[in-house]
Every structure is written in C-alpha cells, then in structure tokens.
Amino acid sequence: MHYVPIVVMGVSGSGKTTVGTRLAEALGVDYAEGDEFHPPANVAKMAAGTPLDDADREPWLDALAGWLAERSGQGVVVTCSALKRIYRDRLRASAPDAFFLHLDLPRGELERRLAGRRGHFMPPSLLDSQLATLEPLEPDEDGSTVDGTLSPEDLVREAVAALER
C-alpha cells in the first residue's frame, strides 16, 4: 500500500507525539516531531504562557510544509496542532494528498494529561486558547477524527483503517 503524508493533529496534551511515533513505526515511514520546527521565539513565547497568533505560526508552518515538500510522494508522519483550517490548507499546499488524523479528547482528560506532563515548554494555561482556536476537520478535508482516549495501539489501528478506506 502507498501511504500518504499523515499529519497527527490536536491540541496540546492530545497524544500527538505518542500516536505519531507509533504510527510511523507501524507504517515503516519517516517521522517528524512538529514542536522541533518552532523557532526559538515561539518556544519562549509559549513557555511564558502567551498564546501564539497566526503571524507567529507562519514560519513554523512554512518549516513543516518544507519538510513535507522535501518528501513529496513518500508516506511520512508529522505532528502538528493544525488547529485552524488555514493552517491545514498551508500544509496541504506542499502536500496536497495529506491526511489529517485529529486526536479529539474531552477537556477534563486534556487537563489531567497536561497537569502530569513534565519537561514540555507548553504550559497547561494555554489549553483554553488552543481549544478556542481549534477548528474541527471539515467534511471536504481528507482526514479522520478519532477518540483520543483510546490506547495508542487502538489509535494506530484506527488510523491505518481510515487510511485504507
């Protein structure tokens, strides 16, 4: 099976890294952690508890889009919050066949996960701004919204099944 570029998306604490790494391993494709593409100024801003705006996200999205473009025609997995349709469209401009896997979780579970997370620059205080910014996948977007409370193994199975449809 030929795999398309997959963007594992969702708000902070949704499990993007865990699912993304396992999905890439299961498919035998390259993986990129979206947080590593943030310019230092973005990381500092988020670490200080200030939400990013669209202008802040532009260089980050451009770097991710460049990574995807360099791997055109390959199956890859990358994590990216991809909170707004315009952000997803920006990624799709470089990877038109991209598939978005949205990890959707209830607020309480996200809060629990963020409270227990250590060593990440994104503070739990930014969850509100991320949830307010999140625009769910629209019917014309290639992707799938899955229950992020499932085990990583079940999420990988669901992602592979969605890709095969």
Side-chain angles (χ1 to χ4, degrees):
M1 174 176 195
H2 169 73
Y3 293 108
V4 298
I6 302 164
V7 179
V8 180
M9 63 171 280
V11 298
S12 185
S14 61
K16 294 182 297 289
T17 299
T18 299
V19 173
T21 56
R22 292 182 185 198
L23 181 57
E25 183 178 301
L27 298 175
V29 299
D30 288 344
Y31 168 77
E33 169 55 58
D35 285 343
E36 294 175 7
F37 290 78
H38 274 296
N42 282 9
V43 174
K45 190 172 184 177
M46 288 183 283
T50 304
L52 299 180
D53 59 27
D54 289 351
D56 294 324
R57 288 187 175 99
E58 285 180 8
W60 174 61
L61 291 166
D62 287 345
L64 287 167
W67 187 86
L68 287 167
E70 289 169 3
R71 287 150 186 83
S72 178
Q74 299 176 35
V76 295
V77 176
V78 64
T79 56
C80 173
S81 55
L83 299 174
K84 289 184 177 182
R85 169 74 185 247
I86 60 170
Y87 305 161
R88 297 187 295 270
D89 288 345
R90 195 175 192 121
L91 296 175
R92 262 192 295 276
S94 292
D97 56 346
F99 180 89
F100 289 83
L101 182 69
H102 177 197
L103 305 179
D104 187 35
L105 291 92
R107 177 188 188 87
E109 177 61 14
L110 291 165
E111 289 172 342
R112 185 191 70 73
R113 289 181 181 192
L114 290 172
R117 188 159 76 172
R118 303 286 177 257
H120 195 277
F121 61 83
M122 179 75 121
S125 62
L126 291 180
L127 179 59
D128 285 338
S129 69
Q130 286 211 323
L131 289 171
T133 303
L134 177 64
E135 296 173 358
L137 290 171
E138 295 180 25
D140 66 327
E141 292 185 89
D142 192 15
S144 181
T145 299
V146 294
D147 178 355
T149 64
L150 297 174
S151 72
E153 296 77 19
D154 287 341
L155 286 166
V156 167
R157 276 193 287 281
E158 285 212 10
V160 170
L163 287 165
E164 291 174 345
R165 286 194 275 272

